[in-house]
Amino acid sequence: QVQLVESGGGSVQAGGSLRLSCAASGRTFSFGGMGWFRQAPGKEREFVSAITWSGAITYYAKSVKGRFTISRDNAKNTVYLQMNSLKPEDTAVYYCASDERVHTSSAEYRYWGQGTQVTVSS
């Protein structure tokens, strides 16, 4: 019943930009906190960004701060991740996650999307 669907991934050259979207459906209270995580080949899943229901509070991994921006449009039940100045090390599958509250640890989120591939070439 609760579902998250990511979109917007693709292939870009270093320095380029992409905007990821996460469309959510189901119980509204399950989307109080939203997060983005990524997993590169041979790497563990890592935190990227997170946002509260109102959008007043956001969190970013140090590796993406200043380059990525998380936002949400609750009227559209959608969370976005604007990624600028992309680097090859940003290459990964990006996952959207939701829970009643916001977290920065992947283990804390209850619901997950299927992931979308982001590839940055040099």
Side-chain angles (χ1 to χ4, degrees):
Q1 188 171 344
V2 174
Q3 186 173 344
L4 305 175
V5 180
E6 303 98 331
S7 62
S11 299
V12 297
Q13 292 188 333
S17 298
L18 285 173
R19 189 180 75 160
L20 305 183
S21 298
C22 174
S25 62
R27 291 284 195 173
T28 302
F29 62 76
S30 297
F31 310 136
M34 303 291 295
W36 286 98
F37 294 80
R38 66 188 183 186
Q39 188 166 23
K43 300 284 188 176
E44 296 182 358
R45 186 170 299 186
E46 66 173 342
F47 168 75
V48 175
S49 187
I51 189 170
T52 58
W53 173 258
S54 68
I57 303 175
T58 57
Y59 303 88
Y60 296 95
K62 292 181 180 179
S63 60
V64 307
K65 187 173 294 185
R67 299 188 298 120
F68 292 8
T69 302
I70 190 171
S71 62
R72 66 191 297 170
D73 185 342
N74 291 337
K76 297 181 178 180
N77 294 320
T78 302
V79 178
Y80 305 95
L81 185 68
Q82 178 67 45
M83 305 185 295
N84 298 327
S85 301
L86 284 163
K87 306 174 181 179
E89 49 262 47
D90 294 319
T91 295
V93 176
Y94 283 70
Y95 297 90
C96 177
S98 71
D99 197 49
E100 293 182 2
R101 315 175 83 122
V102 68
H103 315 282
T104 57
S105 172
S106 62
E108 301 287 351
Y109 283 94
R110 187 175 185 88
Y111 304 105
W112 291 83
Q114 83 288 350
T116 185
Q117 177 71 46
V118 171
T119 302
V120 184
S121 62
S122 60

